[in-house]
Every structure is written in C-alpha cells, then in structure tokens.
Amino acid sequence: MSSLSRELVFLILQFLEEEKFKESVHKLEQESGFFFNMKYFEEKVHAGEWDEVEKYLSGFTKVDDNRYSMKIFFEIRKQKYLEALDRQDKAKAVEILVNDLKVFSTFNEDLYKEITQLLTLGNFRENEQLSKYGDTKTARSIMLIELKKLIEANPLFREKLGFPTLKSSRLRTLINQSLNWQHQLCKNPRPNPDIKTLFNDHTCSPPNGALAPTPVNLPTPAVAKPAAYTSLGAHGPFPPTAAAANANALAGWMVNAAASSSVQAAVVTASSLPVPPNQATLGMMVEYPNADHEQLMKRLRPVQSVEEVTYPTVHLQASWSLDDLPRTVAFTLHQGSSITSMDFHPSHQTLLLVGCNSGEITLWEAGIREKLCSKPFKIWEMQACTLTFQASAAKDAPFSVNRVTWSPDGSFCGAAFSKHLIHLYAYTGPNDLRQHLEIDAHSGGVNDIAFAHPNKQLCVVTCGDDKLIKVWDLTGRKLFNFEGHEAPVYSICPHQKENIQFIFSTAVDGKIKAWLYDNMGSRVDYDAPGHWCTTILYSADGGRLFSCGAGKDGDAHLVEWNESEGAIKRTYTGFRKKCGGVLQFDTTQNHFLAVGEDSQIKFWDMDNINVLTTTDADGGIPSLPHLRFNKEGNLLAVTTTDNGIKILANATGMRSLRTVEAPPFEALRSPLEAAAIKASGSAVPSVAPKVERSSPVRPSLILKGVDSMARSVEKPRALDDVNDKMKPLQLTEIMDPTHCRMVTMPDSADATNKVARLLYTNSGVGILALGSNGIQKLWKWVRNEQNPSGKATASVVPQHWQPNSGLLMTNDITGVNLEEAVPCIALSKNDSYVMSAAGGKVSLFNMMTFKLMTTFMPPPPASTFLVFHPQDNNIIAIGMEDSTIHIYNVRVDEVKSKLKGHQKRITGLAFSTTLNILVSSGADAQLCTWSIDTWEKRKAVPIQLPAGKAPTGDTRVQFHSDQVRLLVAHETQLAIYDASKMERIRQWVPQDALSAPISCAAYSCNSQLVFASFIDGNVGVFDADTLRLRCRVAPTAYLTQSAINGSQAVSPVVVAAHPHEANQFAVGLTDGSVKVIEPTESDGKWGVSPPADNGVLNGRTGSSSTASNHAADQIQR
C-alpha cells in the first residue's frame, strides 16, 4: 500500500475515534496492520478476552513469524491454560492444551509434556516453578509487562506502535480546504454557499435560477512565449506542474541576480535531467507572468467562507523541556581510528554509519554496541578511474573519509573520500552493506556527498576541491555539472520547497550559492559569516534554515536565515572567542541546535539566541567534536579523544537502546554451548512468571531448566548429540536448468586443463581462473543496457578478456610435473596485480596488460598457497610444499620469517586483522595460528576426522566477515571454528543426497551462506550459522547429459563466491569450463532461511556484508 494510502488510514482512524466508532477503529487497526493500539491490547488482556486478543494480534503477526511472535502467542495461551486450571475447569484446560498449545510441542516436546502434567495436580502451584503464581489479576499484569517488551522488540511491529501527531479533526480540515478551493473556482461564487453534499464537486448555482454551469477546473496555461525559453520536449524531467505560485522560497535570495532572475524566481523551469527512454513526457513551454496569470492568482487567494468550510484557528504551542535533549551518556563505542563523519539511519534509529581518517567505513548497531560490518578503504576498479587519479593513488598519502551519509529511505549510503572518489553501498539487510558504485567524482578531494530526488529519481550530489558541484544517477552517469564557485566547495545541502528542488552550496571562501536543476547557473551569491568553512542545514520539517561555521580568525558563527529575504534572521551567542577550527553542528526535533565546541556540546533553543544548556559528556571529548543526532532526536553520537563514540540519550533513547539490546552472542565465548543453543532451532518459551529486565526475549517461566526460547544452555549436550538432533531445513532441490540462472564462460572448456583455482575480482566485474597448465584466464562483464551495473551476472555472457598485445598470463612450469603440481593464486585488493604459481616460480602479473612484472621463490620447495597481507600488499604469506610458510616482502625481495609447524604441504592460509593472527591449514589435517606481530605459533589443533580416516587431504580455511569465526573445509567435512580459541562450533559431514567427498567450500560475501562443491557434481548451499543444508544444486541443473554420462564425468573442482551478490557463485570444472550460477529472479535466493530468522539476534549473528579483504580471505579454489 502506498504511503498516501497509509496516511489516509490514519486520518480515518482519527475520525472514527473522534466520532466514537470504537469497534470500527480497532477493526481497521487490525485489518490495515498500520497501527498497533497498545492501550486497547492492554484492556483486552486485563479483561481476559483471549479470543479478541489473538484476533487483534493476527492483523500484525502470526504465531510462526519469528521467535518473538511465537513467544507472544505462547505466553497468552499459557496464561489462558493456567486460568482454566485455576478455575478447576479441566475440560477447558484440555481443550486449550490440544487446540492452542499443541503447536509448540514441535519445538520443545519436553516442555509440552511438563505443561501436560499440570493436569494431574490438584493445584498447579504444587509445581515448584509455579509456586509463586498469585491471583489471576496479578498474573495478567506480570504477563503484560513481558508481552509489551516482546512486542516492542519484534521487528514486525516496528514503526507500528506510534500514532502520527495530527491536529484534531484533520480529515474534516482537509475536506474543508477542498470545499474552499472548489468555491474559489466557481464562476458565480455566492457569499453564503449552501454545502449539501460531499459526493460531488461543489459549485454555486447561478442567480435567477439559471442552469448551473459545469464545475470549473484549474486553468492550464496555454500560450507560450518561446522567445526566451525553448520547449523541453521529450527530455523534460519534471511533470508539467505550475511552479510559479511556489517559487517564493528562493525568490528573496535572487534579488541581486541577473536581469532574468525575476522570471527565474517566479517560474522554476524543468532541467535536462534524463528520463528513462520508455517514459513519455509532455512538451512544456515556460511562460512569463501576464495579466491572465495575475487574475488567476488573485482568484486563488483564500477568502473568508461560510461557517461549514472555515479552517480551524486553534494553534497549540508544542511543549518541551531540557529532558528532551539526549545528554546522559549511555555508553562508549570504540572505533579505533580517528572519526571524521557519522550519520544515523533514517528509520533504524540505533544504526550508526561511521567514516574514519583511515578510509574505513563502519556500521554500528548502537543498541547492542557491536560493529555489524567494517569496510577498510580499497579502490574497487582502478581501471575505470582517470589517469590523474591513478597517478595520485599511487602516492603514499592515505585516503580518508570526508563524509558519510544515508539516502532518505536508508536503502543506500555514500562515502566521500579525500581523493577523487565516492563509494555507494546498498543496504539490504540488518548488517548487509553491498558495494554498489564507485565514481571518480572530482579532481582532488570530495568534500561532501548528499542524496536528492529531482524528478522523484534518487540521485547523488557531490562537491569537491575542483570548485564544482556534480549530480549523478545511481548508475554513475553525470547529470549536472554546476560551475560558479571560485574556491573549493566545502558543503552542499539539497532541499525541496513544495515542488521546487534546489541545492545550497558553500565554499571555503565563505560564498553561499543556490542552484536549480537547470544548468542556468547559481541563483544566489551571498557571504556566510566568517567567510570560511560553513555548513548549511534545515530543521527536520524543512521549515527553517541554519548555518554554522567559523572564520579563519577563529570566530564561530551560528545563524538562522530568513529564506524569503536572503538575510540573517538570528545570530546565536555563547561561543568562546577563538574556536580554532571547523565547527560541527546538527539540528533535532524542530526545536534544538547543537554545536561541538570547547570540549562540550552546546545546545540552543532555535527561538532563543542564548545557550540553553551544555554537557561535557563526562569528559574525554575533543575541543571540536563531531556529533550527530538520530532522526528522532533521542540519541546523540559524539566523538571522543581516544577514537571512540559516546552515545548520549534521553529517557526515550534509553528505552530504545534497551529494546534493541539482546543477550551477548555467546557462540564465540563458549562454542560448545553455542552449538547446543543453535541446534535447538526455534524454541518455545517456558512458563513461569519470571521477568528478566535485561532482555525482551527472556522467558517468564522455566520448567526443568529448559529455556529454549531464550536458547538456554542450562542442559548443555555433547557436540555429537547436537549434530544428531539438528533438524534439517526444508530442502530446495535445483534439478533442472530452468530452476536457476547459469552462464558458461566463453572459451573456457579444455578437457586437458582442469580449473585448479578460481577467483572473482574484488570489484565483482570479472572472474579469474588458473588452469592446471599454469595459464590464467580472465572474463569480464561490460556495462551496457542489459547489465547497467557492469557486475558479474548469470544473465549476461561476459567477454573472454585479453589485452591487445595478445599476451597470456602464463606461469613458469620449467621442469614441473603438472600432474603433481599444486597451482595457487592471489589477487591484490585493488585488482591491479595477480600473483600465481603452478609448481615453478611465483609470478606477479599486471592485470591490465598481463605483463609479467617479476618472478621469485624458485623451487624447491614449490609454492602451494599464496595470500596477500590484508594491510600491506608488499607482504605475502606463501605456503610451501615442504610444510613451511614464508613471510615474503616483495619490495625488498626478502623472506622476513619462515614459519614451521606443519608436517605436510600447506593447503590454506587466512588472515584475521581482528584477532591479529594468521591461520594455516595443511595436508596433515592440522590447523595452526600465528601471531601477525611476532610470527610466533600460538596454537596447533588437528581437525576432527571420522574414525579410521587417515590425517591426509587438502584442508582449506576462510574467515567469516566478523574475522573471528573460521570456515574449515576438508573432503570429509565442513566445520566452523572459533578462531580466538581454535575450538570447533559446528560440523557437517557428507550424508544423504550429498554423500560424496567435498572438493571445495566458500563463504558467501555476507557470510550468511556456505557454498560447497562435491566431486559427484552436486553443489550444496548451507546456512553459515548452523551448517544446515538449504539447497542442493544437482549436476543436471548446470551440466549437459554428455558431460554427466561421458567416459570422464565432469565435476566441480573449485567454487568461488561473488564479492557483492550473496547468492551468486561460480564453479570451475574438471573439463576446464567455468560457470556462474544464481537463483532465478523470481526466487532471489537459495532455499529457505532457518527458523526464527527475523528477530534481533539474527541481525547480530548473521554477519556483515562483503568481507573487507575479500581477495585475501577468500579460500583459494
């Protein structure tokens, strides 16, 4: 349902409430599902009207939607059951047990049996856990506390618990306004119109009983004056609306503009913003105001009307207090790098995006005080950047983040960097930031980035050191290039007043300019106080305009502007004499301003020039801290001197933080217990009135120590027992090519040259395969109409890419027995260089030219595994045939350290920057951890092989994107380890339809799936947290019958995961071919998610999006 339809429901709800249609109000609440009336719900619970309680809930959630919903329904039905027992109504209790509670036995049979046994007691209070059960009224009150916490925590009720703030009788007011408008359009307006019906448009009857004319519609300008303006034709982006009456917002700022500015102020023309080719637009001529126009404007001005259509005149002053300001320190988040920019998500009020001077971007969930994902800076596609930038990027000066920001709907976020680039990420889930677009936007630094909606099309606006402002669409196409500033542009502020869209900009020389989307130059040229770095912001409702900045002399300036006159309306006081730098400020709640200065946060009431109050946030904040309110204004993020973020909150903010808070994720602290917890699946809450304040998902009753809803581990079980008890998910079988999307790389098949290793490029636009003959092949997808993103996709055939020179990337195989050689490959983070070997020397190739840059490490021993250090491309960890690991510095051509700990050749290496370790795996089925700082061995553990299995075979390792959990793949098993302790959390062994040995496995880019290939041709897609099989892709889905039934059956040797698309993977086959496979567009994903996947905890345990060091961490195939 559209947003306007939703708002109409709220208007109707208000009308029904005011008219006392009580039953209709709650019926509409339930049927629309837009507003959950907690007060009504409480009344029904207190009254024990359980059927109505469940009926009302059914409009918002079902019992099996998620674990919160399950617990809500369980608590209600349990209370109903206990009340029947308390009345000694055993027949009713049995009915509730069979009809209502039976559904929960699937998830916890022991608990259901315990509840059933209560029937045998004369008084259920004889049960020790229920001994404190009081009277019915008290029990309902205790339960209601629990229910409210569960409802507030349930994501399905998000944004449904608050009714919008409306003036009384808002629907009547809108109808009155419509009648007033209709009356203005009457040809014969009468002073006292008689409004008899709303079913037809109103029109006054003509005098003397003449026939009433047809209703008069708003005249459409028909006469154009093309001498000054030309028709916009098919390229006009804005709908043909008359903007003339609404241009006052900028008119006052244009007084001193060019001679034509009066026309420009009165009529905002459409720009040349492109429109999709299949979108037809009417040609629209822009005309000068004339006599007819003036007459029309006079007729549209409001006049006093009859009593029935008079607007309300009561205006209530909004009340506020200092307690509305978030001034209490809730906690501190430790970022670890100097913070340069922050922005809260527009709807998820505790989700905080942070940019650092290291170039890193981090997504925090403040409610649980955890980093959801972190994106260290890297260049996604160097080849697409300008030569100027490529030369600049080669220098040692680091990249830092100048600004991070969310799009208005929170579906995208953007980052502007200190050199040339902006990065756009798509935000698709609780902790899933996917690389969307990289633009070489400006020469020099990009100082600001913002989102705008010209023509209802989401665009990105940037400004930079090159004195330009640019507007881009989400494919990276430049739409506008605004020139006019004489100094680097410091900040931008896109805005919309009614149907006028414009951009304010400020430069480091203090000039303020305003631009319409029409390529006709700046409409404003004013000086900001201080004549230096100034930021412009609107109040949340868009009604008031403020700027804050400082002069080069250090004087601080915070002012409110009069938009209609282009003049300063109010100058705020309270700054120290010399602030000594750039000020950061923000607005909130349409009432407050906040500025970071003098190691304090200073607050102003917008209507008062004097400081309202200050806070030092308990100390530890810098002289000029960065700060940011969340959109509701109940949280304030403030940077600290030790590279942290203090979260300040008011009372409402504290409640919101507690709502998001959940029990700590214990999988990493106690792997065995975590395995037992997850194996229980979606469980049922227990039944005793015990309220835990710390978590909304704690049970209210525990029987026999079993608290499955809260995933209690009071009865830990052996790991083997856990695996035995794990229930399989509903398995999706992909048997036919029509059940998925698949594309084969051209020129890839070569029966004598199997694919030995396989990688996606970090940018996601290509695939690199290393054959058993030592030759590497590269396929690239081009950006076109079929594939506007230019990313790898199974819907478009890529190109087999080679440079014009015809060079091949061929490894040294002099004197090498290729049947015994172990090929290996690694790709630099910026996709510029690839390093590989095939039994001979290690070769370093330029990815653009395929030119061999250098060779090193000649055998013996031969190299068997390669990985770049995640923080230094000059450092390479090289696994060797003789079981050692060499830490090699390419720049100085020197082995810095030689690590010894394995008994057989090295088959896998993976770095964790979080744990500061290197993990190695070998053909001896051993895992070792090494300190990155000292290269000393920390721990060695054998993988747990099936009984009778010799400790042989390749073992591969890859870190989860949280850099703590570790995927271990061996032909006999998949396993998840807690790398901080090197203890196993999960294990899966080949069985049933997937009983063949495993050939390779890899995490998806968001670490929520594991793709595993098997030597019989099957590919399994597993849930990464539980290792439960979600989907089986049979060989018949992607191989021909001749390949399956031939003398040498074709099977996958290696599997690779796309770096940005979580459901896309590629397989390299024994016949040399490479195939990219994705779900169908209608399915969108592989199989079904595990139970209870949409609660808060899943948002934490499912992990961040693309791993920051994808090339370094992905398992070599």
Side-chain angles (χ1 to χ4, degrees), residues 86-354:
D86 208 20
R87 297 191 306 268
Q88 299 299 316
D89 189 349
K90 294 292 181 73
K92 182 65 175 177
V94 171
E95 179 186 334
I96 296 169
L97 189 68
V98 173
N99 295 335
D100 296 338
L101 291 170
K102 180 68 175 176
V103 65
F104 302 107
S105 64
T106 305
F107 305 99
N108 193 322
E109 188 173 354
D110 292 338
L111 178 61
Y112 182 72
K113 290 179 180 178
E114 190 76 14
I115 296 173
T116 304
Q117 289 174 3
L118 297 178
L119 287 167
T120 64
L121 302 177
N123 185 339
F124 64 79
R125 293 173 182 82
E126 296 173 23
N127 182 292
E128 182 180 353
Q129 301 295 332
L130 294 171
S131 60
K132 295 183 180 180
Y133 184 95
D135 57 66
T136 297
K137 182 178 179 181
T138 303
R140 289 175 181 174
S141 298
I142 293 173
M143 180 192 65
L144 192 55
I145 295 172
E146 180 75 4
L147 291 180
K148 289 172 69 175
K149 291 168 66 177
L150 287 165
I151 289 169
E152 290 170 358
N154 194 326
L156 297 177
F157 288 82
R158 190 168 294 153
E159 299 179 0
K160 295 181 180 181
L161 300 178
F163 198 87
T165 303
L166 302 175
K167 291 183 178 180
S168 61
S169 304
R170 179 60 182 163
L171 186 58
R172 288 182 179 274
T173 299
L174 292 174
I175 292 172
N176 289 341
Q177 291 173 345
S178 172
L179 293 173
N180 264 330
W181 179 264
Q182 293 171 33
H183 186 57
Q184 301 307 312
L185 299 180
C186 290
K187 284 192 173 181
N188 303 288
R190 299 173 62 183
N192 295 299
D194 184 15
I195 308 296
K196 293 182 177 180
T197 181
L198 298 177
F199 295 154
N200 301 308
D201 286 351
H202 158 73
T203 182
C204 294
S205 301
N208 302 323
L211 292 174
T214 57
V216 180
N217 294 322
L218 180 65
T220 301
V223 181
K225 300 201 176 183
Y229 299 96
T230 58
S231 172
L232 298 173
H235 299 290
F238 292 130
T241 56
N246 301 318
N248 293 330
L250 286 177
W253 293 73
M254 303 175 186
V255 173
N256 298 326
S260 62
S261 64
S262 60
V263 176
Q264 296 163 358
V267 181
V268 178
T269 70
S271 68
S272 58
L273 183 64
V275 173
N278 60 348
Q279 179 178 333
T281 56
L282 298 175
M284 178 178 127
M285 308 296 286
V286 182
E287 61 176 358
Y288 294 97
N290 54 25
D292 292 338
H293 171 84
E294 291 299 324
Q295 183 62 30
L296 176 62
M297 288 297 101
K298 288 179 182 179
R299 294 192 63 189
L300 296 183
R301 293 189 185 108
V303 297
Q304 184 61 34
S305 185
V306 295
E307 183 179 356
E308 288 80 3
V309 292
T310 300
Y311 300 160
T313 58
V314 178
H315 299 284
L316 298 178
Q317 180 66 35
S319 61
W320 61 270
S321 73
L322 286 177
D323 292 337
D324 295 335
L325 289 170
R327 294 180 296 157
T328 303
V329 178
F331 47 78
T332 301
L333 307 174
H334 298 286
Q335 177 65 33
S337 301
S338 179
I339 297 160
T340 55
S341 182
M342 301 180 291
D343 195 25
F344 278 99
H345 191 277
S347 56
H348 301 296
Q349 300 295 320
T350 56
L351 202 61
L352 180 64
L353 185 67
V354 177

Side-chain angles (χ1 to χ4, degrees), residues 271-540:
S271 68
S272 58
L273 183 64
V275 173
N278 60 348
Q279 179 178 333
T281 56
L282 298 175
M284 178 178 127
M285 308 296 286
V286 182
E287 61 176 358
Y288 294 97
N290 54 25
D292 292 338
H293 171 84
E294 291 299 324
Q295 183 62 30
L296 176 62
M297 288 297 101
K298 288 179 182 179
R299 294 192 63 189
L300 296 183
R301 293 189 185 108
V303 297
Q304 184 61 34
S305 185
V306 295
E307 183 179 356
E308 288 80 3
V309 292
T310 300
Y311 300 160
T313 58
V314 178
H315 299 284
L316 298 178
Q317 180 66 35
S319 61
W320 61 270
S321 73
L322 286 177
D323 292 337
D324 295 335
L325 289 170
R327 294 180 296 157
T328 303
V329 178
F331 47 78
T332 301
L333 307 174
H334 298 286
Q335 177 65 33
S337 301
S338 179
I339 297 160
T340 55
S341 182
M342 301 180 291
D343 195 25
F344 278 99
H345 191 277
S347 56
H348 301 296
Q349 300 295 320
T350 56
L351 202 61
L352 180 64
L353 185 67
V354 177
C356 301
N357 68 349
S358 62
E360 181 183 36
I361 298 165
T362 302
L363 187 61
W364 284 90
E365 173 48 78
I368 56 177
R369 310 179 198 183
E370 285 191 6
K371 290 182 181 180
L372 299 183
C373 62
S374 186
K375 305 289 183 183
F377 175 78
K378 65 179 178 181
I379 300 169
W380 297 350
E381 192 172 359
M382 178 67 83
Q383 298 92 325
C385 299
T386 62
L387 294 176
T388 304
F389 172 69
Q390 293 184 39
S392 171
K395 298 178 182 177
D396 292 334
F399 286 74
S400 64
V401 176
N402 282 338
R403 177 71 188 276
V404 292
T405 187
W406 289 100
S407 64
D409 64 355
S411 59
F412 291 92
C413 64
F417 294 96
S418 57
K419 286 186 182 181
H420 290 247
L421 293 182
I422 65 168
H423 283 171
L424 297 184
Y425 290 89
Y427 176 67
T428 57
N431 39 353
D432 192 6
L433 285 183
R434 300 182 183 180
Q435 292 181 5
H436 177 76
L437 182 65
E438 179 181 70
I439 303 176
D440 185 350
H442 292 269
S443 297
V446 185
N447 296 323
D448 204 358
I449 181 173
F451 289 90
H453 272 100
N455 191 33
K456 299 181 180 180
Q457 175 186 355
L458 184 63
C459 296
V460 180
V461 186
T462 61
C463 65
D465 288 343
D466 54 7
K467 308 175 186 178
L468 298 176
I469 300 157
K470 300 180 181 181
V471 183
W472 314 82
D473 68 14
L474 293 191
T475 67
R477 187 167 48 128
K478 184 167 65 176
L479 306 175
F480 294 98
N481 192 73
F482 297 132
E483 302 181 30
H485 277 291
E486 298 178 358
V489 186
Y490 175 71
S491 73
I492 46 178
C493 179
H495 195 60
Q496 178 173 343
K497 283 285 188 177
E498 297 175 343
N499 63 335
I500 304 173
Q501 308 211 24
F502 54 92
I503 304 167
F504 275 118
S505 63
T506 67
V508 297
D509 60 1
K511 291 292 184 182
I512 298 177
K513 295 182 182 291
W515 317 79
L516 300 175
Y517 295 90
D518 59 3
N519 284 324
M520 296 182 64
S522 170
R523 304 303 211 275
V524 165
D525 189 358
Y526 278 85
D527 292 323
H531 302 276
W532 196 42
C533 297
T534 297
T535 304
I536 287 181
L537 288 177
Y538 273 90
S539 57

Side-chain angles (χ1 to χ4, degrees), residues 676-724:
I677 290 167
K678 287 182 178 291
S680 64
S682 290
V684 189
S686 42
V687 255
K690 172 187 174 184
V691 178
E692 279 287 336
R693 296 179 58 85
S694 62
S695 171
V697 297
R698 289 292 184 193
S700 65
L701 184 86
I702 298 176
L703 292 179
K704 286 192 174 180
V706 178
D707 172 12
S708 52
M709 181 57 119
R711 284 156 169 74
S712 169
V713 291
E714 294 175 355
K715 286 189 176 181
R717 294 170 286 171
L719 184 63
D720 292 338
D721 181 48
V722 170
N723 283 315
D724 291 340

